[in-house]
Amino acid sequence: MVSSVRILMCPPHHYDVDYVINPWMEGNINRSSRERAEEQWNTLHQVLKRYATVDLIEPQIGWPDMVFTANAGLVLEKTVVLSRFFHPERQGEEPHFQKWFEDQGYTVHTLPKSLPFEGAGDALLDRSGRWLWAGYGFRSELDSHPYLAKWLDVEVLSLRLVDPRFYHLDTCFCPLSDGYLLYYPAAFDTYSNHLIEQRVPAEKRIPIDEVDAINFACNTVNVDRIVVMNQASPSLKQALETHGFTIVETPLTEFLKAGGAAKCLTLRVTEPRQGEPHSSSIQSRVVQLEGHLLDSGLVNRALDTVVSGGGSFQVLNFDLGEQRQDASTADIKISAPETGVMADIMSQLVDLGAVSLPQETSSAQLERVVQDGVAPDDFYVSTIYPTEVLVKDQWIRVQAQRMDGAIAITHENSGPVARCKILRDLKAGEEVVVGSDGIHTLRSETSFKSKQTDEFSFMGAGVSSERRVELVVEQIAWDLRQIRDRGGKAVVTAGPVVIHTGGSEHLTHLIRQGYVQGLLGGNAIAVHDIEQSMMGTSLGVDMKRGTSVHGGHRHHLKAINTIRRCGSIANAVEEGVLTSGVMYECVKNNVPFSLAGSIRDDGPLPDTKMNLIEAQEDYARLIEGADLILMLSTMLHSIGVGNMTPAGVKMVCVDINPAVVTKLSDRGSIESIGVVTDVGLFLSLLVNQLNKLTGQYAQH
Ligand code: ARG
């Protein structure tokens, strides 16, 4: 019985493996037999004619992969999105397929030139037409998915392919009749597997193993309950039969050499639209994104966020520029299987700068704090990015922007005021923003670009090369001088390693020369600095000779004890007990410092704040209004400072451990620069460069 299904095929008269554009083709150039290919293709053709009407397109000399008509485009009803091949080796097929579709009366959509999408090879409709599964990662770009959603008016579920052998979605994924799914889970990333599991109930999923996968078992043509494929293992046959499918095997080994099989050799050109795209349990929201969406990678990130969070999207309006780098606006409908998933996705999208649309005229949702120091469950967690909230029809800028806070709203005479507050400062009765409506984070284009460009160039290989360090040093020296000369503020966060690595003389120089307006650290940096100043050792190691001093391990305690006797570091300086070093220079030059805590029971110094809350407040006060923060080899103090600092403050993190540097640059803002190097060396380069800039060459 021939159903109403029509399939497009292309005879293999000019088929061969002429180049390598996927792992299957490697070692197979000119290795396929034309005769056997014709024979296998004819058999497939005959088989398919039993179940469908087969149309043929004229093969073209010079385009050997044109047999794989799945890659012609993606059809839904009378609309087709034409493929844009990733590899030039196949791009010449495009006009031939375009002509065929036009001749058949299809509405043909073509994607922007630089946006690859490989048709039904990478996009498969759910067999009940509920949504479109779209693959990306190798041949098609995620950015192409919004176009599919828009032009075909269908919900798109994006799946990321991760195994180069399964470079097209149809090599590892095959939706079957009645909601069944034949697929190879290992070809997808975790999130995609998650999405698949959310949409297809366990009893409808037919996962296959690697052996079947490499025999292209997923590359199956399915018409009703018939599945036509190259080959299936006995266990797969059994699984399919149990679910009521009849298997027709037809060897396609010659085409496997080019990385394709039954499904690749066909394109279903009748895809009726069936039913409503959304089932009722699915939630949806509309958000708007604005800016250089494609060029900045923002769309990619936003869609990635949606997909990786278990949701899906449909593009309602995409006001595209002509070029990828043009500014554009997108209204995106986000769908999620349930409320929790939606809430998570929405808050992440808001952090990326998206605005929730239907709420544009309604205010941010507020809820009262019931218990001091505890926010309502659903409170919006603030980021380092400038944020606005919609209160009483008015977008107001949040003050004291910082990360990990709640946004509290107060109503003053001048109108509502929004302010970031840390949890412990919340008071019962106070109103706090919950959910993600009426919140807008202002992300600059550059804050996205940094990820791909700057950070990459500084830390590309994890460790900065010497020349790179020099370049960064030049830039920081320049900034420091500018900041000093215009009366700005540079703050240094330093760990004890600064002293161990011989950085003390350089840091003291910076302080003396007026480059430092605040110093943050813990007990240790001050202790080691004072030990070095009083006894010439740092943790008992002679700083000139680099060797341990007999009994030196007691030195740091003696240093602490001496300062304790004086009552404070400042007193010690005044009494002439402390006469040099970093802390001495701070006191002498009126540079405020804050020493936050110590878990070590070795003192502490009288200046060390053992109450961490007070210490945090002290830190926050010293950071306020900073233009630049130089973080020198102290992971915890740097991360703490990073969290307290709003976007826009330049941060330079120097550490020998790349993990620390990466952690800080995770802020993703252009302002953070990571330098993986020895901090003593870094400081000496910095001082040298500053001296060069000011015409005083180093004397040593
Ligand atoms: N050699 C072709 C390519 O690499 C094979 C295409 C297979 N088609 C498919 N829909 N999986 O593009």
Side-chain angles (χ1 to χ4, degrees):
M1 178 206 70
V2 175
S3 69
S4 58
V5 175
R6 290 188 91 88
I7 287 173
L8 176 66
M9 292 181 73
C10 173
H13 309 325
H14 308 301
Y15 167 72
D16 201 353
V17 180
D18 282 353
Y19 44 75
V20 177
I21 56 171
N22 69 49
W24 304 90
M25 300 174 98
E26 252 158 59
N28 275 326
I29 291 201
N30 301 330
R31 283 271 179 85
S32 83
S33 139
R34 175 69 46 79
E35 211 175 306
R36 216 171 318 133
E38 291 274 1
E39 191 185 302
Q40 292 181 342
W41 186 91
N42 284 331
T43 312
L44 176 68
H45 185 197
Q46 293 311 319
V47 169
L48 292 179
K49 280 207 289 191
R50 281 188 235 149
Y51 312 107
T53 306
V54 179
D55 292 334
L56 296 180
I57 180 171
E58 178 82 18
Q60 301 292 326
I61 297 179
W63 305 108
D65 272 337
M66 205 175 150
V67 276
F68 299 111
T69 50
N71 300 120
L74 172 67
V75 176
L76 181 58
E77 295 182 296
K78 268 302 193 188
T79 304
V80 59
V81 179
L82 205 68
S83 285
R84 278 252 180 246
F85 284 96
F86 181 81
H87 292 290
E89 284 85 344
R90 295 198 64 182
Q91 287 164 0
E93 299 171 35
E94 291 168 16
H96 301 291
F97 286 127
Q98 175 159 11
K99 178 160 188 316
W100 187 87
F101 286 118
E102 281 166 0
D103 290 349
Q104 302 290 316
Y106 286 84
T107 304
V108 180
H109 289 283
T110 49
L111 288 156
K113 281 236 155 36
S114 54
L115 196 51
F117 165 66
E118 299 203 347
D122 262 337
L124 301 164
L125 283 154
D126 164 66
R127 295 266 37 99
S128 331
R130 290 169 294 179
W131 53 70
L132 178 74
W133 297 103
Y136 69 101
F138 294 105
R139 298 294 186 83
S140 300
E141 242 187 74
L142 182 60
D143 278 353
S144 65
H145 296 181
Y147 291 87
L148 307 180
K150 181 184 159 146
W151 287 331
L152 302 176
D153 188 23
V154 67
E155 184 184 16
V156 173
L157 305 178
S158 303
L159 299 175
R160 191 202 300 267
L161 298 165
V162 293
D163 183 333
R165 295 173 301 172
F166 305 103
Y167 57 95
H168 275 146
L169 184 62
D170 69 359
T171 60
C172 50
F173 192 90
C174 184
L176 301 176
S177 309
D178 292 331
Y180 283 97
L181 174 67
L182 185 65
Y183 76 122
Y184 177 51
F188 300 92
D189 73 356
T190 324
Y191 296 123
S192 305
N193 271 296
H194 197 70
L195 179 60
I196 295 168
E197 286 157 23
Q198 277 178 343
R199 289 297 174 111
V200 186
E203 66 275 14
K204 296 263 173 169
R205 298 197 291 263
I206 310 174
I208 67 169
D209 62 20
E210 193 180 357
V211 175
D212 276 315
I214 59 179
N215 280 319
F216 275 71
C218 285
N219 203 249
T220 283
V221 182
N222 168 229
V223 181
D224 302 324
R225 286 283 171 162
I226 307 290
V227 286
V228 182
M229 66 176 80
N230 171 55
Q231 195 188 320
S233 67
S235 61
L236 175 58
K237 280 185 191 155
Q238 210 202 327
L240 282 166
E241 276 158 16
T242 321
H243 293 297
F245 290 95
T246 306
I247 302 167
V248 182
E249 282 175 300
T250 175
L252 292 161
T253 47
E254 290 314 308
F255 298 97
L256 254 59
K257 293 175 184 169
K263 159 71 174 59
C264 303
L265 292 166
T266 64
L267 176 70
R268 212 189 246 255
V269 287
T270 43
E271 291 280 13
R273 182 183 298 278
Q274 310 170 14
E276 267 301 292
H278 301 284
S279 76
S280 58
S281 70
I282 295 174
Q283 307 252 319
S284 29
R285 296 289 295 271
V286 180
V287 298
Q288 188 171 65
L289 284 168
E290 228 178 20
H292 296 273
L293 296 182
L294 294 180
D295 188 44
S296 66
L298 182 53
V299 160
N300 242 314
R301 277 207 197 193
L303 300 187
D304 221 37
T305 302
V306 175
V307 174
S308 57
S312 62
F313 59 83
Q314 187 174 352
V315 175
L316 305 177
N317 262 312
F318 202 164
D319 180 5
L320 301 158
E322 288 291 297
Q323 301 293 323
R324 267 185 96 162
Q325 61 273 17
D326 288 350
S328 42
T329 313
D331 292 351
I332 301 175
K333 180 168 174 183
I334 313 294
S335 304
E338 47 117 3
T339 338
V341 175
M342 178 61 90
D344 270 2
I345 293 176
M346 284 303 298
S347 63
Q348 290 180 61
L349 287 178
V350 164
D351 291 351
L352 282 177
V355 188
S356 183
L357 267 195
Q359 281 70 37
E360 216 174 15
T361 49
S362 71
S363 296
Q365 235 180 300
L366 305 181
E367 206 173 304
R368 281 198 194 279
V369 172
V370 189
Q371 186 185 342
D372 281 356
V374 181
D377 266 345
D378 197 21
F379 81 105
Y380 173 77
V381 182
S382 64
T383 64
I384 58 169
Y385 301 101
T387 305
E388 293 177 338
V389 285
L390 189 61
V391 184
K392 295 200 174 135
D393 292 332
Q394 193 186 327
W395 284 102
I396 52 174
R397 182 68 166 262
V398 176
Q399 297 175 16
Q401 188 66 46
R402 56 156 294 149
M403 185 170 152
D404 296 346
I407 299 177
I409 307 290
T410 49
H411 300 274
E412 331 249 297
N413 289 341
S414 52
V417 174
R419 187 177 280 111
C420 274
K421 284 185 112 178
I422 27 190
L423 298 183
R424 63 169 179 265
D425 291 337
L426 293 174
K427 293 273 172 292
E430 194 163 27
E431 284 184 314
V432 162
V433 176
V434 293
S436 50
D437 292 347
I439 308 173
H440 183 200
T441 57
L442 311 165
R443 300 282 308 258
S444 62
E445 303 286 331
T446 45
S447 74
F448 294 105
K449 283 193 181 165
S450 65
K451 270 277 175 238
Q452 300 144 18
T453 53
D454 297 72
E455 174 194 307
F456 197 69
S457 58
F458 284 125
M459 326 179 11
V463 179
S464 316
S465 71
E466 272 168 56
R467 179 59 193 143
R468 279 186 191 154
V469 172
E470 276 171 25
L471 285 172
V472 181
V473 164
E474 280 168 23
Q475 190 192 324
I476 298 164
W478 175 263
D479 288 337
L480 277 178
R481 202 181 69 136
Q482 298 289 99
I483 290 170
R484 181 191 68 176
D485 294 353
R486 65 163 190 262
K489 184 168 182 180
V491 176
V492 172
T493 307
V497 180
V498 170
I499 311 295
H500 303 324
T501 54
S504 172
E505 57 169 313
H506 309 299
L507 185 52
T508 51
H509 179 88
L510 292 181
I511 298 171
R512 266 198 308 273
Q513 299 293 315
Y515 292 114
V516 180
Q517 281 71 43
L519 179 75
L520 307 174
N523 191 60
I525 167 122
V527 172
H528 296 164
D529 167 62
I530 293 167
E531 176 192 335
Q532 195 200 355
S533 154
M534 291 179 169
M535 279 158 276
T537 56
S538 178
L539 262 191
V541 173
D542 186 308
M543 288 305 291
K544 290 230 164 62
R545 267 169 284 165
T547 52
S548 291
V549 174
H550 187 68
H553 64 280
R554 292 196 204 94
H555 285 184
H556 86 280
L557 269 175
K558 293 194 171 163
I560 294 172
N561 196 46
T562 307
I563 304 296
R564 287 180 71 86
R565 180 175 303 115
C566 299
S568 71
I569 296 173
N571 287 353
V573 172
E574 199 172 317
E575 291 168 22
V577 174
L578 181 64
T579 54
S580 65
V582 174
M583 300 318 296
Y584 167 84
E585 295 295 349
C586 283
V587 172
K588 278 289 180 199
N589 294 283
N590 291 318
V591 172
F593 59 85
S594 179
L595 306 176
S598 166
I599 189 67
R600 198 171 159 173
D601 55 350
D602 62 353
L605 288 169
D607 302 73
T608 300
K609 294 229 158 33
M610 295 303 281
N611 177 331
L612 274 183
I613 292 186
E614 276 174 27
Q616 285 176 22
E617 280 162 2
D618 220 26
Y619 263 45
R621 188 173 50 78
L622 289 184
I623 292 165
E624 214 177 294
D627 302 288
L628 183 146
I629 301 179
L630 191 54
M631 301 169 158
L632 306 174
S633 291
T634 166
M635 178 163 73
L636 289 177
H637 295 108
S638 299
I639 292 171
V641 166
N643 288 5
M644 295 176 189
T645 310
V649 179
K650 194 166 234 177
M651 296 202 302
V652 181
C653 177
V654 186
D655 207 293
I656 195 78
N657 178 358
V660 176
V661 174
T662 314
K663 181 108 189 136
L664 257 299
S665 29
D666 275 352
R667 284 164 63 94
S669 58
I670 186 124
E671 306 88 19
S672 28
I673 296 175
V675 192
V676 178
T677 191
D678 175 272
V679 68
L681 180 72
F682 170 85
L683 282 170
S684 96
L685 290 172
L686 182 62
V687 165
N688 249 313
Q689 180 62 23
L690 278 166
N691 288 344
K692 226 192 269 178
L693 287 181
T694 44
Q696 344 170 328
Y697 287 85
Q699 283 118 22
H700 36 88

